[in-house]
Every structure is written in C-alpha cells, then in structure tokens.
C-alpha cells in the first residue's frame, strides 16, 4: 500500500463509526449512480459483480438488488458488511488482484482518493468481460466550492469531471452516460460543517488549522459568506460515468 492509500485508510478508519450516518451525500450519489446504470443498461442481469471502495455499503445495497451469483467487494479500510455474503478483497484497488470477466464493475465516491485514476479505471475496465458494464462516480474539480472560496486545502488528489473519466476509458468502450451531480447539504453553522467532514473522513488530505484563532476566523468567514436563514451550505459536486464494453 502506498503512502497516500495508507493515509486515506487511516482517515476513513477513524471515521468508520460515524461515517454511515453522516454520509448523506454519498448515499444519494450511490443511489443516483445505480439508477444511471439501470437506466442505460435496461435488462442487463449481471451474474458476476465487482465493487471497488464499498465503504459502509451504500452502493452495495443497490447492487444486491441485481442478485448476482458472485459478488466481489474491495476496500482499504472497511470491515465485512453484516449479512452480505461476498468475496472480500482487502487492499489498494491499484494493486490488489481483481477477478476476471465480471459483468459489472462499479465504484461510488472512491476514485478521487487514488493517486493514479487512469491506472485504477484501466484495471476495472480490464476486469470486465466483453458486453459488460462499468458504473463509477467520483468528485469533480468544482467539489466543495464553499471551502475552496475560503482558500481551504481540503481536497482529494484526483478530482475528475465525468468527461475526464470518460477520456480515460481504453479502446473498445462506449460511453452510455457521464456528467456531474450537485448535492447541497445544510448545517446550523460552520462548526457542524467541520464535524460533518471529520465524521465522513473526507478531510483526510486537508491541512489542519494552526491555532484556535485560525479556526474561529475560518468559521466566521464561512458563516458570513455562505450563511443564510437556513444555516450554512456545503455542496458536493459528484462526477459519474456509465460505460459498456463492446462485445
């Protein structure tokens, strides 16, 4: 496991107890990704399914609706999911041995954390049999605009737009859908935003505030710029791609 993967694993391990309840946006994104795949691949019945970065199972729960005969689940940090019979593949998706000839490879809100997204997407594509499908989401360069507007360094290493992910597809693939989704959450104040980020582990690569004064200044500026009658906003900008491998 490389240094980045190890850092991300430790961050998500710290937030695992709080992640599932706090990951409201990730839950919505997983549902949208599954719906996009089902809309593009109407009638597709995958018998062999691989999911990379299953986390607490937001996308996994949808994939189980497909009733695959075999299900492989890969992740850096998450433990086995209660009640989910699968072949678990712990480790870095860029390095771990993946199954061959799957009918569907899927991943939600994960690829932004890898150092080499082209390698990871290529490996997932290679695992798919001809006639199979890929459904993947990450986060786009405009992710967390409220934080970016205040100069925050909270960022994952590999933000890609939907078109950017599509450009990484190897030959022999057909894009069936790609784009971005915006999910806006609201919180009572900036402190709750920071607690949300910590609870979901998504600030694993962010810089730390150097003093209590710097923290207070950041929260005051956040609330002044992004606050309103409904509290303060935090916007997730998700990117997504659904593609089919030509038979």
């Amino acid at each position: 496991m490389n240094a980045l993967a190890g850092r991300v694993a430790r961050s998500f391990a710290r937030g695992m107890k709080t992640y599932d309840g706090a990951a409201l946006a990730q839950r919505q994104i997983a549902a949208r990704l599954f719906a996009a795949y089902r809309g593009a691949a109407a009638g597709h019945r995958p018998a062999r399914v691989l999911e990379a970065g299953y986390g607490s199972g937001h996308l996994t729960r949808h994939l189980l609706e497909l009733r695959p005969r075999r299900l492989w689940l890969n992740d850096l940090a998450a433990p086995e999911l209660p009640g989910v019979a699968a072949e678990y593949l712990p480790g870095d998706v860029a390095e771990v041995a993946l199954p061959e000839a799957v009918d569907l490879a899927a991943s939600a809100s994960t690829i932004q954390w890898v150092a080499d997204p082209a390698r990871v997407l290529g490996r997932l594509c290679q695992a798919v049999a001809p006639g199979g499908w890929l459904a993947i989401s990450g986060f786009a360069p405009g992710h967390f605009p409220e934080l970016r507007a205040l100069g925050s360094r909270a960022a994952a290493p590999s933000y890609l737009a939907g078109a950017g992910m599509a450009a990484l597809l190897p030959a022999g693939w057909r894009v069936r859908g790609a784009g971005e989704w915006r999910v806006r959450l609201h919180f009572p104040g900036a402190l709750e935003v920071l607690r949300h980020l910590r609870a979901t582990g998504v600030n694993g690569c962010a810089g730390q505030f150097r003093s209590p004064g710097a923290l207070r200044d950041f929260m005051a500026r956040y609330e002044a710029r992004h606050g309103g009658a409904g509290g303060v906003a935090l916007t997730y900008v998700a990117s997504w791609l659904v593609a089919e491998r030509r038979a």
Side-chain angles (χ1 to χ4, degrees):
M1 186 184 299
N2 61 38
L4 173 61
R7 193 160 62 247
V8 172
R10 290 190 294 273
S11 178
F12 279 98
R14 286 193 299 270
M16 187 53 61
K17 291 183 179 179
T18 56
Y19 178 85
D20 192 55
L24 303 175
Q26 289 87 342
R27 191 187 304 273
Q28 291 185 44
I29 292 162
R32 289 188 185 187
L33 179 63
F34 184 73
Y37 154 70
R38 295 294 281 160
H44 188 234
R45 295 291 182 267
R48 296 162 57 85
V49 175
L50 164 67
E51 181 185 355
Y54 65 91
S56 60
H58 292 154
L59 180 59
T60 313
R61 296 180 185 102
H62 294 288
L63 296 176
L64 290 173
E65 298 174 20
L66 301 171
R67 300 181 182 273
R69 288 202 300 269
R70 295 185 73 178
L71 174 64
W72 290 268
L73 297 178
N74 159 260
D75 201 272
L76 282 172
E80 294 187 6
L81 300 175
V84 177
E87 297 175 57
Y88 289 87
L89 304 174
D92 186 349
V93 67
E95 304 296 340
V96 70
L98 299 177
E100 298 178 353
V102 301
D103 303 302
L104 171 65
S107 180
S109 303
T110 296
I111 197 168
Q112 72 277 358
W113 290 114
V114 305
D116 188 348
R119 172 176 168 79
V120 169
L121 193 142
R123 297 193 81 223
L124 293 177
C125 287
Q126 187 176 21
V128 177
W133 288 75
L134 173 75
I136 188 168
S137 72
F139 291 108
H143 187 49
F144 288 159
E146 296 87 358
L147 295 174
R148 292 165 61 85
L150 295 175
S152 172
R153 291 181 293 154
S158 297
Y159 288 157
L160 291 168
M165 289 193 290
L168 298 179
L169 288 171
W173 282 81
R174 177 186 178 192
V175 175
R176 297 298 298 270
E180 286 78 49
W181 297 311
R182 297 176 74 87
V183 179
R184 178 167 291 182
L185 304 181
H186 289 87
F187 300 89
L191 180 60
E192 287 76 16
V193 170
L194 295 176
R195 286 173 174 166
H196 166 78
L197 294 172
R198 181 170 181 81
T200 55
V202 299
N203 61 336
C205 295
Q208 300 298 312
F209 294 104
R210 295 183 180 275
S211 69
L215 174 60
R216 288 193 297 270
D217 176 69
F218 175 85
M219 292 192 298
R221 290 188 295 121
Y222 196 108
E223 292 175 0
R225 184 158 184 169
H226 304 298
V232 298
L234 178 69
T235 305
Y236 285 73
V237 183
S239 52
W240 64 279
L241 169 68
V242 174
E244 179 183 12
R245 186 173 183 180
R246 294 186 177 93

